[in-house]
Structure formats: structure tokens, C-alpha cells
Amino acid sequence: AAQQADMELVQALMGGTRAMREAGERYLPRWPNEDVRAHRARVECAVLFPAYDRTVSTLASKPFSKPITIGDDVPARIRAWCENIDLQGRNLHVFCSDVFRHALGEGLAGILVEYPRADGVRTRADERARNLRPYFVAVRKADILGWRSAVVDGQHVITQLRIRETVSEDDGEFGERKIEQVRVLTPGAWATYRKAKGGEWAPHESGTSTLPVVPFVPVYGKRASFMLGEPPLMNVAHMNVQHWQDSSDQ
């Protein structure tokens, strides 16, 4: 419960004034005998000084003040991948900087190695002709729904990982709709689940991979244990909330 409360707090602080206003009484309690409408007006007038977000951003930028150096022993093919490591235009330096910022601010983040659907691909030549290759996906702490782990050959590894994700699908001629789904990864296999009309989660798609592991690497802010991380700057977060409350009182 404490970890969940910390997570909600830092998410609201990093979300800025809008997120703190949406939190309402959670971080800006009503005064004794204060009218609900008066309190709502006070919340809507409050403006957050982004001390927590600025501190996290400043500290996270320190290790990345110089570009990541890729050694000469790295194959040319992988060096090219690093220029667009997530297939969304971010190079390895920018991607890692963003992941570290989320880990520092929220306590945990992760890097998932993904691969596009490769139906009909049988040879390396087919793969290169369709420009298929692995890419990185940044995973936020709130999207890690659960996992299972075991000690295999003396090493702690993930045997199942459940991740929340949002995908886009065409809706009509010009529209687009966002669909929330859960991806379940196990060594050598994957599956996705979506909510059915009755509200129950049901299988959507599934498939296999050639990987004997779950290709996910956790990145910790403050490591508590395997796959569990805590925000290391919680004292700054609580001070930021105090400033939010004091400024409103004044």
C-alpha cells in the first residue's frame, strides 16, 4: 500500500499542475467547514512549482551529459540499429536517458526487446528484404502488472511478465481508436488479452518466439529487491506537496 501511494504521488508531481488538480483532496485537503465548491475553486487556482520533476530531470541528465560511445567491436549492423533503437526515431543515447529519468522518478522502469510480426519469413534474406530487426520498448513502472521469477542455473530470471500496453487501430475512414491490452510474455511465447463486451479479459492473439528467455531488463531507481524499485527522491516529493499546500493556503 505504501509503495502504491508513493507511486501515485510521484506520478501526480511529474504530471504537473493538471495532474495535481485532478488529484483534488488527496494532496490538497479541505479546510474544516470549507464548502466543497470553495475547495474546488481553490484547487483549480493552485499552480504547482515543479520541484520534484526538475530535480529528477536534472539528476537524470548528469550521466548523459556526453553521448554514449559505441565501441569499435560493435557490429556495423547493430551500430545502425542504435541510431533508431526504438523504431520511433530515438537513438540509443536519448532512449536510455528517458528510461533512466523514469526509473529515477518512479523507482523502476524497464527495457523490453521486441521484434515485429514475421509471418512468412523463413531466411535471413527474407528478414533483411522486409527490414525486420529487434527494437527496444521503454516500459513504465505503472505498466508492469505482474511477474513470476525463478532461479535458473544460479541466476534469478523472469519466467512470466505481464505488461499493460495501448495500441492504435483504424476506426472508419479517418478515425483512430486506442485499445488497452495486456501482453503476457514467457520464455519462447507471448499472448495478448483484451476486454470482451462483458468486461472480462479474454485471449486476443498469441504466438511463439525463438528466445529461451523473457527479453526484459529492469532499471532501478532504488532497488528494493528483484523487480521491485522505490523512488529514491521521496523526501523531495513530500516537500513539493508541502509547497503545493502552503502556496494554496497563502
Side-chain angles (χ1 to χ4, degrees):
Q3 284 197 353
Q4 181 63 28
D6 288 350
M7 182 63 187
E8 292 174 355
L9 172 57
V10 297
Q11 281 187 320
L13 290 173
M14 296 180 76
T17 296
R18 185 185 300 276
M20 291 294 284
R21 287 177 177 175
E22 290 176 353
E25 291 189 43
R26 185 181 305 171
Y27 306 121
L28 195 60
R30 275 198 293 158
W31 292 329
N33 301 322
E34 183 179 17
D35 181 79
V36 173
R37 288 178 297 178
H39 175 264
R40 188 70 248 171
R42 185 159 61 92
V43 169
E44 291 300 327
C45 291
V47 177
L48 177 71
F49 176 72
Y52 184 78
D53 189 53
R54 287 185 183 180
T55 303
V56 169
S57 297
T58 299
L59 292 178
S61 68
K62 297 296 184 182
F64 298 94
S65 58
K66 295 181 180 180
I68 291 176
T69 301
I70 301 176
D72 296 333
D73 58 337
V74 177
R77 191 181 185 196
I78 296 180
R79 293 172 68 91
W81 292 351
C82 290
E83 294 303 313
N84 183 14
I85 197 66
D86 63 350
L87 295 184
Q88 296 183 12
R90 286 188 292 183
N91 61 28
L92 183 63
H93 178 89
V94 175
F95 179 89
C96 290
S97 178
D98 289 345
V99 170
F100 183 60
R101 178 178 178 274
H102 291 311
L104 189 64
E106 300 176 356
L108 180 72
I111 300 174
L112 176 68
V113 181
E114 273 280 32
Y115 192 87
R117 294 287 291 270
D119 299 332
V121 174
R122 298 182 179 223
T123 66
R124 183 68 60 85
D126 292 339
E127 181 184 61
R128 292 183 176 179
R130 290 175 55 178
N131 197 28
L132 299 177
R133 52 92 158 181
Y135 61 95
F136 285 2
V137 175
V139 181
R140 301 280 292 272
K141 182 178 182 179
D143 294 326
I144 302 174
L145 301 181
W147 68 90
R148 291 178 179 174
S149 63
V151 177
V152 180
D153 296 331
Q155 185 176 2
H156 212 155
V157 298
I158 297 172
T159 57
Q160 184 196 80
L161 180 66
R162 302 185 298 279
I163 297 175
R164 177 175 53 205
E165 57 187 16
T166 302
V167 297
S168 299
E169 290 188 353
D170 293 339
D171 186 14
E173 187 174 0
F174 303 107
E176 184 180 69
R177 59 176 178 169
K178 302 290 185 181
I179 299 176
E180 185 178 282
Q181 65 182 24
V182 175
R183 181 174 297 272
V184 180
L185 300 166
T186 54
W190 61 271
T192 57
Y193 294 78
R194 294 184 180 179
K195 280 188 177 181
K197 291 184 178 180
E200 299 292 330
W201 290 93
H204 175 62
E205 291 181 317
S206 62
T208 60
S209 73
T210 58
L211 293 177
V213 298
V214 175
F216 179 84
V217 176
V219 181
Y220 300 98
K222 180 181 178 182
R223 191 180 189 276
S225 62
F226 182 71
M227 287 293 290
L228 290 175
E230 302 172 353
L233 300 173
M234 282 309 302
N235 287 337
V236 178
H238 290 303
M239 291 175 65
N240 203 170
V241 173
Q242 183 183 33
H243 184 275
W244 163 259
Q245 295 171 347
D246 290 346
S247 63
S248 177
D249 292 347
Q250 294 169 8

Coordinates of all heavy atoms in Angstrom, one line a residue, residues 70-136:
I70 N 29.8 4.1 -28.6 CA 29.7 2.7 -29.1 C 31.0 2.2 -29.6 O 31.7 2.8 -30.4 CB 28.6 2.6 -30.2 CG1 27.3 3.2 -29.7 CG2 28.5 1.2 -30.7 CD1 26.2 3.2 -30.8
G71 N 31.5 1.1 -29.0 CA 32.8 0.6 -29.2 C 33.0 0.1 -30.7 O 32.0 -0.2 -31.4
D72 N 34.3 0.1 -31.1 CA 34.6 -0.4 -32.5 C 34.3 -1.8 -32.7 O 34.2 -2.3 -33.8 CB 36.1 -0.1 -32.8 CG 36.4 1.4 -32.8 OD1 35.5 2.2 -33.1 OD2 37.5 1.8 -32.5
D73 N 34.2 -2.6 -31.6 CA 33.9 -4.0 -31.7 C 32.4 -4.3 -31.9 O 32.0 -5.5 -32.1 CB 34.4 -4.8 -30.4 CG 33.7 -4.2 -29.1 OD1 33.3 -3.1 -29.2 OD2 33.7 -5.0 -28.1
V74 N 31.6 -3.3 -31.9 CA 30.1 -3.5 -32.1 C 29.9 -3.7 -33.6 O 30.3 -2.8 -34.4 CB 29.3 -2.3 -31.6 CG1 27.8 -2.5 -31.9 CG2 29.5 -2.2 -30.1
P75 N 29.2 -4.7 -34.0 CA 29.0 -4.9 -35.5 C 28.3 -3.7 -36.1 O 27.4 -3.1 -35.5 CB 28.1 -6.2 -35.5 CG 28.4 -6.9 -34.2 CD 28.7 -5.8 -33.2
A76 N 28.6 -3.5 -37.4 CA 28.0 -2.3 -38.1 C 26.5 -2.4 -38.1 O 25.9 -1.3 -38.0 CB 28.6 -2.3 -39.5
R77 N 26.0 -3.6 -38.2 CA 24.5 -3.7 -38.3 C 23.9 -3.2 -37.0 O 22.9 -2.5 -37.0 CB 24.1 -5.2 -38.5 CG 22.7 -5.4 -38.9 CD 22.4 -6.9 -39.1 NE 21.1 -7.1 -39.5 CZ 20.5 -8.3 -39.5 NH1 21.1 -9.3 -39.0 NH2 19.2 -8.5 -39.9
I78 N 24.4 -3.6 -35.8 CA 23.9 -3.1 -34.6 C 24.2 -1.6 -34.4 O 23.3 -0.9 -33.8 CB 24.5 -3.9 -33.4 CG1 24.1 -5.4 -33.5 CG2 24.1 -3.4 -32.1 CD1 24.6 -6.3 -32.5
R79 N 25.3 -1.1 -34.8 CA 25.6 0.3 -34.7 C 24.5 1.1 -35.5 O 24.0 2.2 -35.0 CB 26.9 0.6 -35.3 CG 28.1 0.1 -34.5 CD 29.4 0.2 -35.3 NE 29.8 1.6 -35.4 CZ 30.5 2.3 -34.5 NH1 31.0 1.6 -33.4 NH2 30.8 3.5 -34.6
A80 N 24.0 0.6 -36.6 CA 23.0 1.3 -37.4 C 21.7 1.2 -36.6 O 20.9 2.2 -36.6 CB 22.8 0.6 -38.8
W81 N 21.4 0.1 -36.0 CA 20.2 0.0 -35.2 C 20.1 1.0 -34.1 O 19.1 1.5 -33.7 CB 20.0 -1.4 -34.6 CG 19.8 -2.5 -35.6 CD1 19.6 -2.4 -36.9 CD2 19.9 -3.9 -35.3 NE1 19.4 -3.6 -37.5 CE2 19.6 -4.6 -36.5 CE3 20.1 -4.7 -34.2 CZ2 19.6 -6.0 -36.6 CZ3 20.1 -6.1 -34.2 CH2 19.8 -6.7 -35.5
C82 N 21.3 1.3 -33.5 CA 21.4 2.2 -32.3 C 21.0 3.6 -32.7 O 20.7 4.4 -31.8 CB 22.8 2.2 -31.7 SG 23.2 0.6 -30.9
E83 N 21.0 3.9 -34.0 CA 20.6 5.3 -34.4 C 19.1 5.5 -34.4 O 18.6 6.6 -34.4 CB 21.1 5.6 -35.8 CG 22.6 5.7 -35.9 CD 23.2 6.7 -35.0 OE1 22.7 7.8 -35.0 OE2 24.2 6.4 -34.2
N84 N 18.4 4.3 -34.3 CA 16.9 4.4 -34.2 C 16.5 3.1 -33.4 O 15.9 2.2 -33.9 CB 16.3 4.4 -35.6 CG 14.7 4.5 -35.5 OD1 14.2 4.8 -34.5 ND2 14.1 4.2 -36.7
I85 N 16.9 3.1 -32.2 CA 16.8 1.9 -31.4 C 15.4 1.5 -31.0 O 15.1 0.3 -30.8 CB 17.6 2.1 -30.0 CG1 17.9 0.8 -29.4 CG2 16.8 3.0 -29.1 CD1 18.8 -0.1 -30.2
D86 N 14.4 2.4 -31.1 CA 13.0 2.1 -30.7 C 12.1 2.1 -31.9 O 10.8 2.0 -31.7 CB 12.5 3.0 -29.6 CG 12.5 4.4 -30.0 OD1 13.0 4.8 -31.1 OD2 11.9 5.2 -29.3
L87 N 12.6 2.3 -33.1 CA 11.8 2.4 -34.4 C 10.9 3.6 -34.3 O 9.9 3.7 -35.1 CB 11.0 1.1 -34.7 CG 11.8 -0.1 -35.0 CD1 10.9 -1.3 -35.3 CD2 12.8 0.1 -36.1
Q88 N 11.2 4.6 -33.4 CA 10.4 5.8 -33.3 C 11.3 7.0 -33.5 O 10.8 8.1 -33.1 CB 9.6 5.8 -32.0 CG 8.6 4.7 -31.9 CD 7.8 4.8 -30.6 OE1 7.8 5.8 -29.9 NE2 7.0 3.8 -30.3
G89 N 12.5 6.8 -33.9 CA 13.4 8.0 -34.1 C 14.4 8.3 -33.0 O 15.2 9.1 -33.2
R90 N 14.3 7.6 -31.9 CA 15.2 7.9 -30.8 C 16.5 7.0 -30.9 O 16.4 5.8 -31.1 CB 14.6 7.6 -29.4 CG 13.6 8.6 -29.0 CD 13.1 8.4 -27.5 NE 12.3 7.2 -27.4 CZ 11.7 6.8 -26.3 NH1 11.9 7.5 -25.2 NH2 11.0 5.7 -26.2
N91 N 17.6 7.7 -30.8 CA 18.8 6.9 -30.8 C 19.1 6.3 -29.4 O 18.3 6.6 -28.4 CB 20.0 7.7 -31.3 CG 20.3 8.9 -30.4 OD1 20.0 8.9 -29.2 ND2 20.9 10.0 -31.0
L92 N 20.1 5.5 -29.3 CA 20.4 4.8 -28.0 C 20.6 5.7 -26.8 O 20.1 5.5 -25.7 CB 21.6 3.8 -28.1 CG 21.9 3.0 -26.9 CD1 20.8 2.0 -26.6 CD2 23.2 2.2 -27.2
H93 N 21.3 6.8 -27.1 CA 21.6 7.8 -26.0 C 20.3 8.4 -25.5 O 20.0 8.5 -24.3 CB 22.5 8.9 -26.6 CG 22.8 10.0 -25.6 ND1 23.9 9.9 -24.7 CD2 22.2 11.2 -25.3 CE1 23.9 11.0 -24.0 NE2 22.9 11.8 -24.3
V94 N 19.4 8.9 -26.4 CA 18.2 9.6 -26.0 C 17.2 8.5 -25.3 O 16.6 8.8 -24.3 CB 17.5 10.2 -27.2 CG1 16.1 10.8 -26.8 CG2 18.3 11.3 -27.8
F95 N 17.2 7.3 -25.9 CA 16.3 6.3 -25.3 C 16.7 6.0 -23.9 O 15.9 5.9 -22.9 CB 16.4 5.1 -26.2 CG 15.5 3.9 -25.6 CD1 14.2 3.8 -26.0 CD2 16.0 3.0 -24.8 CE1 13.4 2.8 -25.6 CE2 15.3 1.9 -24.3 CZ 13.9 1.8 -24.7
C96 N 18.0 5.7 -23.6 CA 18.5 5.4 -22.3 C 18.3 6.5 -21.3 O 18.0 6.3 -20.1 CB 20.0 5.0 -22.4 SG 20.3 3.4 -23.2
S97 N 18.5 7.8 -21.8 CA 18.3 8.9 -20.9 C 16.8 9.0 -20.5 O 16.5 9.2 -19.3 CB 18.6 10.2 -21.7 OG 18.4 11.3 -20.9
D98 N 15.9 8.7 -21.4 CA 14.5 8.8 -21.0 C 14.1 7.6 -20.0 O 13.4 7.8 -19.1 CB 13.6 8.6 -22.3 CG 13.6 9.9 -23.1 OD1 14.1 10.9 -22.6 OD2 13.2 9.8 -24.3
V99 N 14.6 6.4 -20.2 CA 14.4 5.3 -19.4 C 14.9 5.6 -18.0 O 14.3 5.3 -16.9 CB 15.0 4.0 -19.9 CG1 14.9 2.9 -18.9 CG2 14.2 3.6 -21.2
F100 N 16.1 6.2 -17.9 CA 16.7 6.4 -16.6 C 15.9 7.5 -15.9 O 15.8 7.4 -14.6 CB 18.2 6.9 -16.8 CG 18.9 7.2 -15.5 CD1 19.1 6.1 -14.6 CD2 19.4 8.4 -15.2 CE1 19.8 6.4 -13.4 CE2 20.1 8.6 -14.0 CZ 20.3 7.6 -13.1
R101 N 15.4 8.5 -16.6 CA 14.6 9.5 -15.9 C 13.4 8.9 -15.3 O 13.0 9.2 -14.1 CB 14.2 10.6 -16.9 CG 13.3 11.7 -16.4 CD 13.0 12.7 -17.4 NE 12.1 13.7 -16.9 CZ 10.7 13.6 -16.8 NH1 10.2 12.5 -17.3 NH2 10.0 14.6 -16.3
H102 N 12.7 8.0 -16.0 CA 11.5 7.3 -15.4 C 11.9 6.5 -14.2 O 11.2 6.4 -13.2 CB 10.8 6.5 -16.5 CG 10.2 7.3 -17.5 ND1 9.3 8.4 -17.3 CD2 10.2 7.2 -18.9 CE1 8.9 8.9 -18.4 NE2 9.4 8.3 -19.4
A103 N 13.0 5.8 -14.3 CA 13.5 4.9 -13.2 C 13.8 5.7 -12.0 O 13.4 5.4 -10.8 CB 14.7 4.1 -13.6
L104 N 14.4 6.9 -12.2 CA 14.8 7.7 -11.1 C 13.6 8.4 -10.4 O 13.5 8.5 -9.2 CB 15.8 8.8 -11.5 CG 16.4 9.7 -10.5 CD1 17.3 8.8 -9.6 CD2 17.3 10.8 -11.1
G105 N 12.6 8.8 -11.3 CA 11.4 9.5 -10.8 C 10.4 8.5 -10.2 O 9.8 8.9 -9.2
E106 N 10.3 7.3 -10.7 CA 9.2 6.4 -10.3 C 9.7 5.2 -9.5 O 9.0 4.4 -8.9 CB 8.4 6.0 -11.5 CG 7.7 7.1 -12.2 CD 7.0 6.7 -13.5 OE1 7.1 5.5 -13.8 OE2 6.4 7.6 -14.1
G107 N 11.0 5.0 -9.5 CA 11.6 3.9 -8.8 C 12.0 2.7 -9.6 O 12.8 1.9 -9.3
L108 N 11.3 2.5 -10.8 CA 11.5 1.3 -11.6 C 11.1 1.6 -13.0 O 10.1 2.3 -13.2 CB 10.8 0.1 -11.1 CG 10.9 -1.2 -11.9 CD1 12.3 -1.8 -11.7 CD2 9.8 -2.2 -11.4
A109 N 11.8 1.1 -14.0 CA 11.4 1.2 -15.4 C 12.0 -0.1 -16.0 O 12.6 -0.9 -15.3 CB 11.9 2.4 -16.1
G110 N 11.8 -0.3 -17.3 CA 12.3 -1.5 -17.9 C 12.5 -1.3 -19.4 O 11.9 -0.4 -20.0
I111 N 13.3 -2.2 -19.9 CA 13.6 -2.2 -21.4 C 13.2 -3.6 -21.9 O 13.7 -4.6 -21.5 CB 15.1 -1.9 -21.7 CG1 15.5 -0.5 -21.2 CG2 15.3 -2.0 -23.2 CD1 17.0 -0.3 -21.3
L112 N 12.2 -3.6 -22.8 CA 11.7 -4.8 -23.4 C 12.3 -4.8 -24.8 O 12.2 -3.9 -25.6 CB 10.2 -4.8 -23.4 CG 9.6 -6.0 -24.1 CD1 9.8 -7.3 -23.4 CD2 8.1 -5.8 -24.3
V113 N 12.9 -6.0 -25.2 CA 13.3 -6.1 -26.6 C 12.2 -6.8 -27.4 O 11.8 -7.9 -27.1 CB 14.6 -7.0 -26.7 CG1 15.1 -7.1 -28.1 CG2 15.7 -6.4 -25.8
E114 N 11.7 -6.1 -28.4 CA 10.6 -6.6 -29.2 C 11.1 -6.9 -30.6 O 12.2 -6.5 -31.0 CB 9.5 -5.5 -29.3 CG 8.5 -5.6 -28.1 CD 7.5 -6.7 -28.3 OE1 7.8 -7.8 -29.0 OE2 6.3 -6.6 -27.9
Y115 N 10.2 -7.6 -31.4 CA 10.5 -7.9 -32.8 C 9.2 -7.9 -33.5 O 8.2 -8.4 -33.0 CB 11.2 -9.3 -32.9 CG 11.8 -9.6 -34.2 CD1 13.1 -9.3 -34.5 CD2 11.0 -10.3 -35.2 CE1 13.6 -9.6 -35.7 CE2 11.6 -10.6 -36.4 CZ 12.9 -10.3 -36.7 OH 13.4 -10.5 -37.9
P116 N 9.2 -7.3 -34.7 CA 7.9 -7.2 -35.5 C 7.4 -8.6 -35.8 O 8.1 -9.6 -35.9 CB 8.3 -6.4 -36.7 CG 9.6 -5.7 -36.4 CD 10.3 -6.6 -35.4
R117 N 6.1 -8.7 -36.1 CA 5.5 -9.9 -36.6 C 6.2 -10.3 -37.9 O 6.4 -9.5 -38.8 CB 4.0 -9.7 -36.8 CG 3.2 -9.5 -35.6 CD 3.1 -10.7 -34.8 NE 2.2 -11.7 -35.4 CZ 0.9 -11.8 -35.2 NH1 0.3 -11.0 -34.5 NH2 0.2 -12.8 -35.8
A118 N 6.6 -11.6 -38.0 CA 7.4 -12.0 -39.1 C 6.8 -13.2 -39.8 O 7.4 -14.2 -40.1 CB 8.8 -12.4 -38.6
D119 N 5.5 -13.1 -40.1 CA 4.8 -14.2 -40.7 C 5.3 -14.4 -42.2 O 5.5 -13.4 -42.9 CB 3.3 -13.8 -40.8 CG 2.6 -13.7 -39.5 OD1 3.1 -14.3 -38.5 OD2 1.6 -12.9 -39.4
G120 N 5.7 -15.6 -42.5 CA 6.2 -15.9 -43.8 C 7.7 -15.7 -44.0 O 8.2 -16.1 -45.0
V121 N 8.4 -15.2 -42.9 CA 9.8 -15.0 -43.0 C 10.5 -16.3 -42.6 O 10.3 -16.8 -41.5 CB 10.3 -13.9 -42.1 CG1 11.8 -13.8 -42.1 CG2 9.7 -12.6 -42.6
R122 N 11.3 -16.8 -43.5 CA 12.0 -18.1 -43.3 C 13.5 -18.0 -43.3 O 14.2 -18.9 -42.7 CB 11.5 -19.2 -44.3 CG 10.0 -19.4 -44.2 CD 9.6 -20.5 -45.2 NE 8.2 -20.7 -45.2 CZ 7.6 -21.9 -45.2 NH1 8.4 -23.0 -45.3 NH2 6.3 -22.0 -45.1
T123 N 14.1 -17.0 -44.0 CA 15.5 -16.9 -44.1 C 16.0 -15.6 -43.7 O 15.2 -14.6 -43.5 CB 16.0 -17.2 -45.5 OG1 15.5 -16.2 -46.4 CG2 15.4 -18.5 -46.0
R124 N 17.3 -15.5 -43.5 CA 17.9 -14.1 -43.2 C 17.7 -13.2 -44.3 O 17.5 -12.0 -44.1 CB 19.4 -14.3 -42.9 CG 20.1 -13.1 -42.5 CD 19.7 -12.6 -41.1 NE 19.9 -13.6 -40.1 CZ 21.1 -13.7 -39.4 NH1 22.1 -12.9 -39.7 NH2 21.2 -14.6 -38.5
A125 N 17.7 -13.7 -45.5 CA 17.5 -12.8 -46.7 C 16.0 -12.2 -46.7 O 15.8 -11.1 -47.0 CB 17.7 -13.6 -48.0
D126 N 15.1 -13.1 -46.3 CA 13.7 -12.6 -46.2 C 13.6 -11.5 -45.1 O 12.9 -10.5 -45.3 CB 12.8 -13.7 -45.8 CG 12.6 -14.8 -46.9 OD1 12.9 -14.4 -48.0 OD2 12.2 -15.9 -46.6
E127 N 14.3 -11.7 -44.0 CA 14.3 -10.7 -42.9 C 14.8 -9.4 -43.3 O 14.3 -8.3 -43.1 CB 15.1 -11.3 -41.7 CG 15.2 -10.4 -40.5 CD 16.1 -11.0 -39.5 OE1 17.3 -11.1 -39.7 OE2 15.6 -11.2 -38.3
R128 N 16.0 -9.4 -44.1 CA 16.6 -8.2 -44.5 C 15.8 -7.5 -45.6 O 15.7 -6.3 -45.7 CB 18.0 -8.4 -45.0 CG 18.9 -8.8 -43.9 CD 20.4 -9.0 -44.3 NE 21.2 -9.3 -43.2 CZ 22.5 -9.6 -43.3 NH1 23.1 -9.6 -44.5 NH2 23.2 -9.8 -42.3
A129 N 15.1 -8.3 -46.4 CA 14.3 -7.7 -47.5 C 13.1 -6.9 -46.9 O 12.7 -5.9 -47.5 CB 13.8 -8.8 -48.4
R130 N 12.6 -7.4 -45.8 CA 11.4 -6.7 -45.2 C 11.9 -5.8 -44.1 O 11.1 -5.2 -43.4 CB 10.5 -7.8 -44.6 CG 9.8 -8.6 -45.7 CD 8.9 -9.7 -45.1 NE 8.0 -9.2 -44.1 CZ 7.1 -10.0 -43.5 NH1 7.0 -11.3 -43.9 NH2 6.3 -9.6 -42.6
N131 N 13.2 -5.6 -43.9 CA 13.8 -4.7 -42.9 C 13.3 -5.0 -41.5 O 13.0 -4.1 -40.8 CB 13.5 -3.2 -43.3 CG 14.4 -2.2 -42.6 OD1 15.5 -2.5 -42.3 ND2 13.9 -1.0 -42.4
L132 N 13.3 -6.2 -41.2 CA 12.8 -6.7 -39.9 C 14.1 -6.8 -38.9 O 15.1 -7.3 -39.3 CB 12.1 -8.0 -39.9 CG 10.9 -8.1 -40.8 CD1 10.3 -9.5 -40.8 CD2 9.8 -7.1 -40.2
R133 N 13.9 -6.2 -37.7 CA 15.0 -6.3 -36.8 C 14.5 -6.0 -35.4 O 13.4 -5.4 -35.2 CB 16.2 -5.4 -37.2 CG 15.7 -3.9 -37.4 CD 15.9 -3.1 -36.2 NE 16.0 -1.7 -36.5 CZ 16.1 -0.7 -35.5 NH1 16.2 -1.1 -34.3 NH2 16.2 0.5 -35.9
P134 N 15.3 -6.4 -34.4 CA 14.8 -6.2 -33.0 C 14.8 -4.7 -32.7 O 15.5 -3.9 -33.3 CB 15.9 -6.9 -32.1 CG 16.6 -7.8 -33.1 CD 16.5 -7.2 -34.4
Y135 N 14.0 -4.3 -31.7 CA 14.0 -2.9 -31.2 C 13.6 -2.8 -29.8 O 13.1 -3.8 -29.2 CB 13.0 -2.1 -32.1 CG 11.6 -2.5 -32.0 CD1 10.7 -1.9 -31.1 CD2 11.1 -3.5 -32.8 CE1 9.4 -2.3 -31.0 CE2 9.8 -3.9 -32.8 CZ 8.9 -3.3 -31.9 OH 7.6 -3.8 -31.8
F136 N 13.9 -1.7 -29.1 CA 13.7 -1.5 -27.7 C 12.3 -0.9 -27.5 O 11.9 0.0 -28.3 CB 14.8 -0.6 -27.1 CG 16.1 -1.3 -26.9 CD1 16.3 -2.6 -27.3 CD2 17.2 -0.6 -26.3 CE1 17.6 -3.2 -27.1 CE2 18.4 -1.2 -26.1 CZ 18.6 -2.5 -26.5

